[in-house]
């Protein structure tokens, strides 16, 4: 009875070699050579010179000695693809021919290697999710693993040990990684979390594990966590504007035009005395009113009298003021009520306050951070004292940019913005829509704003919310020029936010 080639091969694998004299009847395979390498799947394909009228067995191992212990794999044609191999070492292959139950000698071991190169650059993207960010990337050639280095500061400048999403390396099939952020602001969170409005900076590190120390570092990218939906209620637009040293003439007119062109219902002014605020309100028209300060202050509050009624107002003092003559910083506040045609309607109110924190520029950077942090705590405490029925609060103004040097150890004195967030406030830049956050909010030289190389610029000017469910839209309004010049009317931009006053 004739035995098929397939059955003969199967039997040969089980039974093993025939006697040496029988081997001589089948030619030894020669000409084993590499055809292709599937680097991603760690497989090699080889071919050899055909031996007429035979089928074949192929065996693979990571050493010549290991070939004898390797399980043979059947092949019907003079070509075969390996099982998964170790890409980092030489692999050895042998082939022998079968005719019936007679096996030829194994071919001379052939050593083969994968081509191993540095992993190619890869473009990673970031997407905000609720209380976190997800980073995604495509496959890149010669990458057998991926790692996402994240940091709380631009270009990885936040100090401390390297931090990786997921703790370390992901396998070559990974295409995304998610970083969850703290939900309750506290010391040690590196100012990460949606309420801080700080992005996560991340860098893709793709590596060929066969070259474990050759890790190319791609550029840092940033991603903000997803902002919450502010919900329903009374929508209005609030702005903060450091108008710089009581402007007059063309400066004041341009500033008033800027406010009037942006549909604000409330604007908080800094470096504006009562006369300046009166002039701005007058330029804006009869639908605008100024809140009269009880004490003289260089911060002011304007509001649209067609949208709000003034319920109460006063000032409080923030200190210590580190700049001579070291007088306390007089800070105004006002309680505004949404106008309602129904006099029996439930009052919907908001407390607003305009602040301007200061630091001693001759002091150390840490001392300057501490000064603004202390002033922020004073403001938070005073507003809590005033707000006896716990209505929503908006604090806007010049908080100074004092984030660097970066520090969030228990011994660090943090600056004003994170002090507010850890005091229960929410940075309005953590909005559903953000506009012009790539540009700084102030320019000392009164020139055109220049986008920050990190993608997210420094800020001196903030709007902090308490009792709101986030903000709809944030915009850093790029300064316009004075007529016929290339000079801006103030060294700060108008910063605004669309917010929703929740129903009581």
């Amino acid at each position: 009875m004739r035995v098929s080639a397939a059955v003969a091969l199967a039997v040969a694998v089980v039974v093993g070699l025939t006697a040496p004299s029988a081997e001589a009847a089948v030619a030894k395979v020669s000409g084993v050579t590499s055809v292709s390498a599937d680097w991603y799947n760690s497989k090699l394909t080889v071919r050899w010179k055909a031996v007429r009228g035979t089928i074949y067995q192929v065996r693979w191992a990571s050493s010549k000695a290991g070939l004898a212990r390797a399980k043979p794999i059947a092949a019907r044609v003079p070509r075969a693809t390996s099982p998964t191999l170790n890409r980092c070492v030489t692999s050895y292959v042998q082939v022998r021919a079968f005719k019936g139950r007679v096996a030829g000698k194994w071919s001379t071991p052939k050593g083969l290697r994968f081509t191993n190169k540095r992993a190619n650059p890869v473009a990673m993207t970031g997407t905000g999710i609720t209380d976190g960010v997800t980073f995604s990337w495509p496959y890149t050639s010669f990458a057998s693993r991926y790692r996402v280095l994240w940091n709380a500061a631009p270009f990885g400048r936040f100090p401390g040990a390297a931090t990786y999403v997921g703790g370390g390396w992901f396998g070559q099939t990974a295409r995304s990684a998610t970083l969850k952020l703290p939900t309750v602001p506290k010391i040690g969170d590196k100012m990460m979390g949606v309420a801080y409005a700080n992005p996560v900076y991340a860098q893709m590190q793709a590596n060929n594990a066969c070259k474990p120390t050759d890790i190319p570092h791609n550029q840092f990218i940033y991603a903000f966590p997803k902002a919450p939906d502010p919900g329903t209620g009374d929508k209005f637009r609030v702005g903060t504007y450091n108008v710089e040293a009581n402007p007059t003439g063309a400066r004041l007119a341009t500033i008033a035009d800027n406010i009037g062109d942006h549909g604000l219902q409330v604007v908080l002014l800094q470096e504006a005395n009562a006369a300046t605020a009166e002039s701005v309100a007058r330029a804006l028209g009869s639908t605008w009113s100024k809140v009269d300060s009880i004490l003289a202050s260089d911060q002011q509050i304007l509001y649209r009298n067609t949208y709000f009624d003034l319920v109460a107002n006063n000032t409080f003092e923030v200190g210590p003021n580190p700049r001579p003559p070291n007088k306390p910083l007089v800070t105004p506040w006002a309680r505004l009520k949404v106008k309602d045609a129904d006099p029996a309607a439930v009052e919907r109110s908001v407390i607003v306050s305009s602040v301007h924190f200061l630091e001693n520029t001759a002091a150390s950077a840490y001392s300057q951070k501490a000064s603004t942090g202390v002033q922020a705590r004073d403001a938070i405490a005073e507003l809590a004292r005033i707000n006896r029925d716990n209505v929503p609060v908006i604090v806007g103004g010049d908080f100074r940019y004092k984030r660097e040097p970066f520090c969030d150890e228990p011994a660090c004195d943090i600056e004003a913005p994170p002090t507010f967030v850890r005091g229960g406030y929410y940075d309005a830049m953590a909005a559903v829509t953000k506009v012009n956050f790539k540009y700084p909010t102030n320019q000392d030289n009164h020139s055109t704003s220049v986008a920050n190389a990190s993608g997210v610029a420094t800020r001196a000017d903030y709007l902090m919310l308490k009792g709101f469910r986030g903000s709809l839209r944030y915009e850093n309004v790029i300064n316009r020029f004075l007529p016929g010049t290339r000079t801006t009317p103030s060294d700060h931009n108008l910063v605004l936010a669309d917010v929703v006053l929740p129903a009581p």
Side-chain angles (χ1 to χ4, degrees):
M1 181 177 65
R2 296 184 64 186
V3 180
S4 70
V7 171
L9 176 59
V11 170
V13 170
V14 174
V15 173
L17 297 176
T18 60
S21 59
E23 285 184 354
V26 180
K28 180 179 178 181
V29 170
S30 64
V32 179
T33 187
S34 175
V35 173
S36 63
D38 179 354
W39 194 93
Y40 183 83
N41 291 301
S42 301
K43 293 183 178 183
L44 295 170
T45 298
V46 294
R47 60 181 171 81
W48 52 89
K49 292 180 180 180
V51 178
R52 186 183 296 273
T54 66
I55 55 178
Y56 307 95
Q57 282 185 326
V58 187
R59 63 186 183 184
W60 301 81
S62 59
S63 66
K64 290 181 180 180
L67 286 168
R69 298 186 298 274
K71 182 179 178 180
I73 301 170
R76 291 181 172 275
V77 296
R79 180 186 181 102
T81 298
S82 72
T84 301
L85 302 173
N86 184 340
R87 288 181 293 230
C88 303
V89 301
T90 299
S91 293
Y92 293 89
V93 61
Q94 280 184 308
V95 184
R96 69 179 177 182
F98 263 89
K99 183 178 289 185
R101 294 183 61 185
V102 180
K105 291 184 177 181
W106 287 103
S107 64
T108 302
K110 177 72 173 181
L112 301 170
R113 291 188 67 90
F114 287 89
T115 297
N116 277 304
K117 297 181 180 180
R118 167 184 262 209
N120 286 341
V122 57
M124 184 171 66
T125 59
T127 303
I129 61 172
T130 301
D131 296 321
V133 290
T134 294
F135 297 100
S136 303
W137 58 89
Y139 168 70
T140 188
S141 299
F142 298 106
S144 59
R145 56 183 184 171
Y146 301 90
R147 188 167 66 179
V148 181
L149 173 72
W150 74 269
N151 195 273
F155 310 110
R157 293 204 303 259
F158 206 98
T163 49
Y164 300 97
V165 179
W169 291 106
F170 297 99
Q172 72 174 24
T173 60
R175 294 293 177 267
S176 66
T178 294
L179 176 67
K180 297 297 287 184
L181 298 174
T183 56
V184 179
K186 60 183 179 180
I187 294 173
D189 63 9
K190 299 182 179 179
M191 294 81 172
M192 291 282 95
V194 65
Y196 291 103
N198 289 325
V200 177
Y201 293 89
Q203 180 189 70
M204 163 54 62
Q205 297 180 357
N207 174 242
N208 180 347
C210 299
K211 298 174 175 288
T213 61
D214 186 8
I215 304 174
H217 292 178
N218 293 272
Q219 289 185 338
F220 273 93
I221 67 166
Y222 65 87
F224 291 95
K226 183 179 179 180
D229 183 344
T232 59
D234 296 289
K235 178 182 173 182
F236 66 97
R237 178 168 288 180
V238 58
T240 182
Y241 205 168
N242 182 329
V243 297
E244 189 188 12
N246 299 307
T248 58
R251 283 184 60 214
L252 187 141
T254 304
I255 285 168
D257 286 344
N258 202 13
I259 294 170
D261 289 347
H262 285 90
L264 295 158
Q265 278 76 48
V266 179
V267 63
L268 309 171
L269 303 180
Q270 297 83 48
E271 298 190 26
N273 58 25
T276 298
E278 288 283 4
S279 297
V280 173
R282 193 161 46 247
L284 289 169
S286 61
T287 62
W288 282 86
S289 295
K290 168 187 170 293
V291 175
D292 293 327
S293 294
I294 305 303
L295 297 175
S297 176
D298 287 327
Q299 281 57 257
Q300 306 292 330
I301 300 170
L302 305 181
Y303 66 96
R304 274 194 185 272
N305 51 46
T306 53
Y307 193 92
F308 286 112
D309 287 324
L310 178 62
V311 176
N313 69 286
N314 210 318
T315 56
F316 56 84
E317 293 184 344
V318 168
N321 180 354
R323 294 188 186 179
N326 307 110
K327 293 181 179 179
L329 304 172
V330 178
T331 303
W333 65 269
R335 179 167 177 153
L336 304 174
K337 180 181 73 171
V338 177
K339 280 185 176 293
D340 200 308
D342 181 4
V346 177
E347 179 180 313
R348 302 182 305 284
S349 297
V350 60
I351 292 174
V352 297
S353 181
S354 179
V355 304
H356 191 317
F357 301 135
L358 293 174
E359 77 286 7
N360 181 354
T361 56
S364 71
Y366 284 107
S367 178
Q368 292 181 44
K369 286 164 70 80
S371 293
T372 63
V374 169
Q375 293 161 27
R377 288 197 293 274
D378 274 3
I380 292 168
E382 287 294 328
L383 289 164
R385 178 183 60 81
I386 293 161
N387 190 14
R388 295 180 180 177
D389 52 349
N390 202 32
V391 300
V393 179
I394 300 176
V395 181
D398 187 342
F399 283 39
R400 319 299 286 167
Y401 176 74
K402 295 298 168 189
R403 197 172 177 212
E404 298 178 55
F406 301 103
C407 184
D408 193 26
E409 300 299 323
C412 294
D413 292 309
I414 61 171
E415 61 277 18
T419 299
F420 267 89
V421 172
R422 291 176 186 176
Y425 284 75
Y426 183 99
D427 189 330
M429 198 182 90
V432 175
T433 301
K434 306 173 186 66
V435 180
N436 290 333
F437 58 83
K438 296 182 179 181
Y439 299 91
T441 65
N442 65 306
Q443 307 86 35
D444 292 337
N445 57 4
H446 288 257
S447 62
T448 306
S449 293
V450 177
N452 190 283
S454 73
V456 182
T458 59
R459 291 183 287 159
D461 307 275
Y462 287 77
L463 288 163
M464 290 289 179
L465 316 175
K466 189 173 187 179
F468 293 81
R469 293 187 289 270
S471 61
L472 279 170
R473 184 177 183 276
Y474 166 94
E475 182 176 359
N476 170 24
V477 180
I478 302 302
N479 236 330
R480 57 186 67 185
F481 294 116
L482 294 172
T485 76
R486 298 291 293 176
T487 303
T488 58
S490 171
D491 57 355
H492 289 251
N493 294 345
L494 168 65
V495 172
L496 60 84
D498 292 339
V499 297
V500 178
L501 185 64

